[in-house]
Amino acid sequence: MTSVDQLQKVFGQFRGQNVHEVTLGRPDGLQAHIITWGAVLRNLTWPLTGGGTLPLTLGFETFDPYPTHSPYFGAVVGRYANRIANGQYTYGGQTFQLDRNEAHRTTLHGGSNGFSQQIWDIADQTENSVMLTLHSPDGDGGFPGNLDVSATYSIQNDTQLHVQFFARTDKSTPVNLAQHSYFNLDGGQNISDHTLTIYAEAYTPVYANGIPTGLVAPVENTVFDFRTATPLNTTKFAFDHNFVLSEPMRKSDGLRRAAHLVSAKSGISMLVETSKPGLQFYDGNLIDVTAPGLGGQIYGKQAGLCLETQYFPDSLNQSQFPTTILQPEDSYEHLTVFSFSH
């Protein structure tokens, strides 16, 4: 039996603090490597029939490239995943000004010191799971209230990665967390050999700055129609859009199907299920990372794609979207399951 201590090591340093890495699962099954900086899923590997493993996500072999080169590779983003228009919102008659870290106009993924840029604590760990915790103080990034967050990664049945978020606050505050891995299921230079299905009848159109217009539009007869398996080598549009998931949540586990990704090259497939109403599909069209990635690979345009389960972008300023305000008497809960098969 491998001890917990053997599954944890110092991976690097950030601002004088150690960054630890935890390994979950077995090499002959799905295996995850998690680091405490940003609660990042650094590497997720799948065993190959002839021996060895295949990385299913984009990441780095060492810590140093993460703070300077990573476009949120594998991170937990928050307090608010995605974009907030003008970096502000009004609630209870008070306007809150947030850190505007995207072109000095919008707040993206919680701001310049969001959860993806902070070191989390390891609260609990087994061979197949780890719970990371973070305290976000009142005023962090401009957000009100003390917020205590946990992110639990677990490997189940050697084929599934479960990602579960939980949060509590002492003031009314927006919370919208997401797991921001970039997936590539065959190790190729891009995702052109993949097909994608998104279980959504509608999407939220955006302006040029990525902020929703406020409409919920049908995907039928548009480039956003991924209701059947769509080869990504036939899509010419640059996708970074929220899809409104249409399948009902199952009573048994509170999850609904969100997306299904398959590589024709490797034969590996990934089913994404979630308890949240939205899925942000980003096709990685802006990836341009000069630092060597896993296995020394250089990541260029569309080297991987993101399938981020979450609430809708800019819900704080769009009253017709599901609310993202967490009240002190309530708790934020969010489960996403990534199931792999060959």
Side-chain angles (χ1 to χ4, degrees), residues 76-84 108-110 115 143 147 149 165 167 173-179 242 276-280 308-316 322-326 332-334:
V76 172
V77 292
R79 285 188 194 191
Y80 199 97
N82 221 307
R83 293 173 172 87
I84 300 173
L108 175 65
H109 296 328
F115 293 175
F143 292 97
L147 188 73
V149 183
F165 300 132
T173 193
V175 182
N176 183 30
L177 307 179
Q179 211 293 324
N242 170 67
K276 289 305 173 196
L279 177 81
Q280 185 80 10
E308 308 155 55
T309 66
Q310 56 188 258
Y311 284 111
F312 302 171
D314 198 38
S315 292
L316 295 168
T323 182
T324 56
I325 297 293
L326 176 64
Y332 173 94
E333 299 182 43
H334 177 177

Side-chain angles (χ1 to χ4, degrees), residues 275-296:
S275 60
K276 289 305 173 196
L279 177 81
Q280 185 80 10
F281 166 41
Y282 170 48
D283 66 2
N285 64 87
L286 296 178
I287 299 175
D288 183 17
V289 178
T290 56
L294 297 174

